[in-house]
Amino acid sequence: MNEYRINQLLENLKDPDEEIRDRATAELWRIWFEQKGAIGFEVIRQAQLLLETGEIKEAEIALTQLISDLPDFAEAWNRRAVLYYSIGEYKKAIADCKMVIKLNPIHFGALHGLGLCHAAIGEYRQAIQAFRQALEIQPYALINQKLILECTARLS
């Protein structure tokens, strides 16, 4: 990845102009999905289709194989975390989110997902921490602000 371009996109996420932020968000997602070229992207796409048609086990197998083949492909870990979250396997999703963040510390999607997982199992302090980290990268992400308030309310 071109470090200058990534830094420019990260700055754009902090721009008051929503259109600039939206373009930067979309471009970062594109970069992350295409990190390992057409083959990696295609496996992720196929796994998503399997997930959408309820073929959870097949989607998990495809993503696990992709992770085995390309262990530094952060988006493969992220997609499997999404799968685990969608079936209520929050601890597995947390582990995968942490791996995404280790590989790609600016992955606001994984930070958001990590927060969702912690909130789902009642770990509100950890959830708040993850949502705050996501907000450092995407300060205008209202969903994270809202979820911080919800988690804070549950602590009282």
Side-chain angles (χ1 to χ4, degrees):
M1 287 190 272
N2 179 327
E3 192 174 333
Y4 173 78
R5 179 72 179 132
I6 298 295
N7 289 335
Q8 184 180 39
L9 292 168
L10 289 172
E11 282 306 308
N12 288 350
L13 293 177
K14 296 173 177 145
D15 195 288
D17 185 325
E18 184 177 2
E19 190 175 315
I20 290 171
R21 292 191 314 267
D22 288 348
R23 278 197 310 264
T25 299
E27 180 64 9
L28 283 165
W29 279 113
R30 186 196 64 74
I31 289 167
W32 295 339
F33 272 92
E34 295 177 359
Q35 177 194 359
K36 294 296 181 178
I39 293 172
F41 180 79
E42 182 58 25
V43 173
I44 286 177
R45 193 186 69 71
Q46 288 173 356
Q48 183 61 36
L49 292 172
L50 290 167
L51 184 59
E52 289 170 6
T53 58
E55 298 175 70
I56 307 299
K57 195 66 188 161
E58 293 80 1
E60 181 185 13
I61 290 168
L63 290 169
T64 299
Q65 183 61 54
L66 182 58
I67 288 166
S68 177
D69 294 344
L70 301 168
D72 63 338
F73 187 11
E75 198 54 40
W77 291 93
N78 191 53
R79 293 292 100 199
R80 193 173 71 175
V82 169
L83 180 148
Y84 287 146
Y85 177 82
S86 73
I87 60 171
E89 294 279 351
Y90 303 118
K91 293 286 188 183
K92 287 182 178 180
I94 287 170
D96 280 1
C97 285
K98 287 181 177 180
M99 190 61 186
V100 176
I101 296 160
K102 180 180 175 185
L103 293 168
N104 183 1
I106 62 164
H107 200 299
F108 48 80
L111 288 164
H112 174 78
L114 182 62
L116 290 175
C117 292
H118 281 301
I121 57 176
E123 296 175 343
Y124 300 114
R125 289 189 201 303
Q126 294 94 322
I128 291 166
Q129 181 181 6
F131 293 135
R132 283 187 178 147
Q133 287 179 283
L135 274 174
E136 288 175 18
I137 300 165
Q138 274 187 313
Y140 288 92
L142 296 179
I143 187 65
N144 290 321
Q145 295 172 16
K146 177 180 176 273
L147 290 166
I148 288 169
L149 292 174
E150 289 177 11
C151 289
T152 302
R154 293 189 183 272
L155 287 173
S156 347

